[in-house]
Amino acid sequence: MRHVMRLATTLTAVGALFLTSPTAAQAGAVGSTPVHTFEYSVGGATMKIPTGCMFTHVIRGGGRKITYQNAGVDCAFIAALSSGFCNWRIDFTYADTNNRTYRTSRGKTHSECKIDPMRNNHPQTLPRYGKACAHLYVTGVRRVSQCHHITK
């Protein structure tokens, strides 16, 4: 029996693309979640992230095999004029069908401020079905997450 990876976003989904070929099943998903307004302190200065930013998580693959994974922030309108995200990192986590996290790919903490932080993750084969998530941390605090379910 051939298994097809089905990825469904658990949060706001902007789209999904499913491709099949005679030799291998492929699937992918794109999901975006709004970054809620928040303030944080850097070197005594108060930074504010206004409304207008989205955290997007893209994943492609087949079965439990992930061939491409990326997550990042896009800001529009007044949010695009802010100083951005300082001391940020993006982590990828993988959980089984019982929602137990079994793997974390922790990203590097970037001290510079960026309006559009982004990270790619390496291709891999997951040992279990479940979900793959991306998380944005700013000054060590998780600010937003976006997940996709990976099922038979």
Side-chain angles (χ1 to χ4, degrees):
M1 179 170 151
R2 187 169 71 168
H3 297 288
V4 176
M5 178 168 68
R6 185 181 68 203
L7 303 168
T9 58
T10 58
L11 301 172
T12 306
V14 290
L17 172 66
F18 294 94
L19 302 171
T20 59
S21 68
T23 57
Q26 293 290 310
V30 177
S32 292
T33 301
V35 179
H36 296 289
T37 299
F38 66 93
E39 291 183 356
Y40 63 100
S41 180
V42 174
T46 300
M47 311 293 276
K48 182 174 183 175
I49 301 298
T51 302
C53 296
M54 298 293 282
F55 184 61
T56 301
H57 180 206
V58 179
I59 191 168
R60 287 185 223 138
R64 292 177 317 214
K65 185 175 183 176
I66 296 173
T67 57
Y68 175 83
Q69 189 172 200
N70 172 282
V73 177
D74 291 305
C75 295
F77 308 110
I78 194 149
L81 302 175
S82 77
S83 58
F85 303 85
C86 305
N87 298 322
W88 63 272
R89 80 172 196 265
I90 295 174
D91 292 355
F92 293 100
T93 61
Y94 307 92
D96 61 21
T97 54
N98 292 316
N99 207 30
R100 284 189 292 261
T101 300
Y102 61 85
R103 182 182 297 166
T104 299
S105 174
R106 184 181 169 116
K108 174 186 172 224
T109 298
H110 298 267
S111 59
E112 77 276 5
C113 300
K114 285 193 77 168
I115 192 62
D116 59 351
M118 183 176 61
R119 178 178 175 219
N120 292 316
N121 203 19
H122 60 277
Q124 60 189 304
T125 299
L126 303 177
R128 303 171 190 82
Y129 289 100
K131 69 179 179 178
C133 299
H135 312 278
L136 173 68
Y137 290 83
V138 177
T139 62
V141 177
R142 185 165 63 183
R143 297 298 181 169
V144 63
S145 298
Q146 210 295 314
C147 300
H148 298 289
H149 286 282
I150 300 173
T151 60
K152 291 182 187 181

